[in-house]
Amino acid sequence: MRHGDFARSREARYSQENALRGSAILTRPYIHPDAKSALHCDGVSLEALARRFGTPLYVYSAGHIAERLGLFERAFSGIPHVVCYAVKANSSLGILRLFAQRGAGFDIVSGGELERVLTVDRHAAERVVFSGIGKTAAEMDLALRSGILLFNVEGEGELELLSERAAKLRRRPRMALRVNPDVFAETHPYISTGMREHKFGIDIRRARALYKKAGKHLEPCGVSVHIGSQIRAADPFGAAAQRVAKLIAELRKDGHAIRYMDAGGGLGIEYHAERPFDAEAKVREYAAALMPAAESVGGITLLLEPGRFLVAQAGALLARVLYVKKNGAKTFVITDAAMNDLIRPALYQAYHEIVAVAPRRSSRKMVADVVGPVCETGDFFARDRELPPLKPGELVAILDAGAYGMSLASNYNSRPRAAEVLVEGRRARLIRRRENVDDMLATERLATGL
Ligand SMILES: *Cc1c(COP(=O)(O)O)cnc(C)c1O
């Protein structure tokens, strides 16, 4: 069978499956029904994973993450570049290790993230860029001693402190200013960062003056930009890169040997399964928006900081239905996962597909809110969602939860955090055991005898 035929027959099977499951067409390559129509992550049954590791459970496909990284490597192969995975999207060691093994770099926003990266690969520092608007002296010192690739400096005060710490530790770190290009990009207001009124970066019009202040303890060698997250159109990235390229040309005239253009991250995915989404075409479009700007100034190594695009669609959150309850006209499906496990719907009104894991024999539907046990009305995964009829004890998979899921998990309501499993082909490995009560209480003291 030719590949195209295979893809078509798989698609046909997906739509048949999903008519029955009551969800939109499953276009998630990492999650698929087997011949008996039970849902699998790559070669492993979700039902089996839930039985073995319990729920709520994050399940990731290693193969899918590698594939996504490959899309970037191929699309940018025409220009010197480093893909620096944005650690905050999913900072679990098992995930970081996948990237380290494939030679990727890392974009970090804290000393803790640097410690994580160095834990998986103690030679990774040379591929680490350090972003963030609130770096402390201790975090700078750790990064200076580790010899990271690039500091992305976001303000004048930070520039002074970094210079001071560098002098103290007798280092001359490479640095870039993160400029604010004043580019509008359509996304949720909480994750838009590239406009003048945002707290991030430095007004691009003030950048030249600040580079002049860098002083002898710093090596200004790059310009950085990051306009926000979950941005689906390529044009804003292109517009920002062009402004950065113009600044690079000016800075070179001022005598700075600029050789890095850090284009940030933020490329968005499609969370709605029924809307078309071609990841490969997206990355190619993205590269076509960035590369001309980088090439126009020449002598540039492009740094890329994708987070969500690499890991979001490699992961699902498995949850078990505890109760199905009616209040007036509304039906609530109460799962054992909650907003402390996946906060995106509560925080950003984010949409996640939810599918029943067990095969369906009928095409009957119900409309329900899918909610967690946390005492907040904002604790929901879906509202007024059409779903196949669900019963207590059944498993559901909340899709595209690989990014900003586990990394934002908390112990709110004193709920231990979920376990995580990494699937590689037919093998499933626990990369984080479920938290227990002792873990949760370990740092606390009763403060008796005061
Ligand atoms: C969050 C962040 C990223 C990653 O954003 P995604 O939307 O996950 O790609 C990259 N760079 C910086 C500076 C960030 O803050």
Side-chain angles (χ1 to χ4, degrees):
M1 191 160 53
R2 280 178 304 126
H3 182 75
D5 295 343
F6 175 74
R8 261 191 301 281
S9 71
R10 199 172 65 164
E11 243 163 60
R13 192 150 56 97
Y14 281 170
S15 21
Q16 192 192 10
E17 275 298 322
N18 287 288
L20 291 181
R21 280 205 164 80
S23 63
I25 299 169
L26 261 189
T27 46
R28 302 294 175 265
Y30 71 98
I31 260 172
H32 58 92
D34 70 351
K36 291 187 195 129
S37 95
L39 279 194
H40 281 56
C41 175
D42 293 342
V44 181
S45 135
L46 295 187
E47 189 72 59
L49 284 178
R51 264 202 312 272
R52 185 167 156 207
F53 298 108
T55 51
L57 180 71
Y58 275 101
V59 179
Y60 310 111
S61 157
H64 188 71
I65 293 173
E67 222 170 87
R68 284 284 164 102
L69 179 61
L71 295 184
F72 278 83
E73 295 296 357
R74 276 198 299 284
F76 287 93
S77 61
I79 192 167
H81 70 275
V82 186
V83 177
C84 296
Y85 166 63
V87 171
K88 74 177 186 291
N90 187 322
S91 52
S92 299
L93 297 179
I95 301 294
L96 298 183
R97 186 147 174 271
L98 283 179
F99 287 107
Q101 284 169 337
R102 282 162 182 79
F106 298 92
D107 168 49
I108 58 161
V109 291
S110 73
E113 287 190 348
L114 180 53
E115 300 274 17
R116 282 181 171 275
V117 168
L118 295 177
T119 300
V120 302
D121 178 358
R122 62 197 172 79
H123 303 296
E126 62 193 36
R127 304 188 305 274
V128 166
V129 300
F130 191 178
S131 307
I133 61 161
K135 301 178 190 78
T136 65
E139 288 176 318
M140 286 177 182
D141 288 0
L142 174 66
L144 285 167
R145 289 204 176 92
S146 315
I148 63 165
L149 173 62
L150 189 69
F151 283 85
N152 284 334
V153 172
E154 302 215 16
E156 193 165 352
E158 186 190 332
L159 189 73
E160 284 161 15
L161 182 59
L162 182 61
S163 173
E164 201 181 296
R165 298 317 304 170
K168 183 113 185 160
L169 300 185
R170 296 170 187 282
R171 309 270 166 152
R172 189 161 178 265
R174 285 169 295 270
M175 52 105 10
L177 284 188
R178 172 168 169 188
V179 297
N180 189 321
D182 200 31
V183 165
F184 176 75
E186 182 78 50
T187 185
H188 190 278
Y190 288 5
I191 49 178
S192 172
T193 60
M195 307 250 330
R196 217 164 274 151
E197 67 265 28
H198 293 137
K199 68 178 180 181
F200 299 95
I202 288 159
D203 189 331
I204 194 161
R205 298 167 305 180
R206 284 186 54 226
R208 271 175 95 173
L210 266 188
Y211 275 92
K212 288 190 183 123
K213 287 192 184 171
K216 62 176 197 271
H217 301 298
L218 303 177
E219 183 196 346
C221 65
V223 178
S224 296
V225 73
H226 171 72
I227 56 174
S229 194
Q230 183 54 9
I231 296 165
R232 272 155 303 173
D235 322 351
F237 294 109
Q242 273 160 25
R243 288 178 195 190
V244 166
K246 188 163 161 270
L247 175 62
I248 289 176
E250 290 167 359
L251 290 171
R252 283 180 176 169
K253 275 195 211 122
D254 293 345
H256 301 292
I258 305 293
R259 57 188 197 279
Y260 294 105
M261 179 193 280
D262 182 340
L267 186 60
I269 60 153
E270 181 53 71
Y271 284 95
H272 291 259
E274 82 280 8
R275 297 184 192 158
F277 178 67
D278 179 343
E280 186 172 0
K282 259 288 153 219
V283 180
R284 264 194 269 117
E285 217 181 286
Y286 178 65
L290 292 183
M291 281 166 57
E295 281 159 355
S296 72
V297 282
I300 285 292
T301 296
L302 195 56
L303 304 177
L304 304 156
E305 304 171 347
R308 182 192 314 270
F309 202 93
L310 297 176
V311 294
Q313 298 189 295
L317 174 59
L318 275 187
R320 217 173 266 289
V321 176
L322 297 173
Y323 303 101
V324 179
K325 130 174 187 180
K326 283 198 161 59
N327 263 0
K330 289 208 58 131
T331 303
F332 294 93
V333 172
I334 303 165
T335 68
D336 63 359
M339 66 187 283
N340 73 296
D341 300 301
L342 175 64
I343 202 174
R344 296 192 67 258
L347 194 57
Y348 313 120
Q349 292 86 47
Y351 181 95
H352 283 271
E353 295 291 352
I354 300 177
V355 293
V357 169
R360 291 325 228 224
R361 269 178 218 94
S362 115
S363 55
R364 276 196 310 129
K365 303 260 172 70
M366 71 192 278
V367 173
D369 284 15
V370 181
V371 302
V374 161
C375 302
E376 299 262 354
T377 303
D379 179 26
F380 63 88
F381 295 121
R383 287 194 152 148
D384 298 320
R385 184 71 62 84
E386 195 170 79
L387 295 160
L390 290 165
K391 287 204 279 300
E394 269 203 63
L395 274 182
V396 292
I398 303 166
L399 301 185
D400 301 342
Y404 305 105
M406 191 64 194
S407 59
L408 270 88
S410 77
N411 291 124
Y412 188 39
N413 277 211
S414 288
R415 291 168 49 85
R417 280 179 297 173
E420 292 177 291
V421 163
L422 184 65
V423 174
E424 295 186 84
R426 308 181 70 83
R427 264 183 67 203
R429 275 186 307 167
L430 191 64
I431 57 169
R432 184 196 301 261
R433 70 159 167 81
R434 188 170 303 287
E435 238 174 11
N436 58 38
V437 174
D438 288 342
D439 296 327
M440 267 198 304
L441 301 187
T443 54
E444 296 180 44
R445 301 289 178 266
L446 276 172
T448 49
L450 280 176

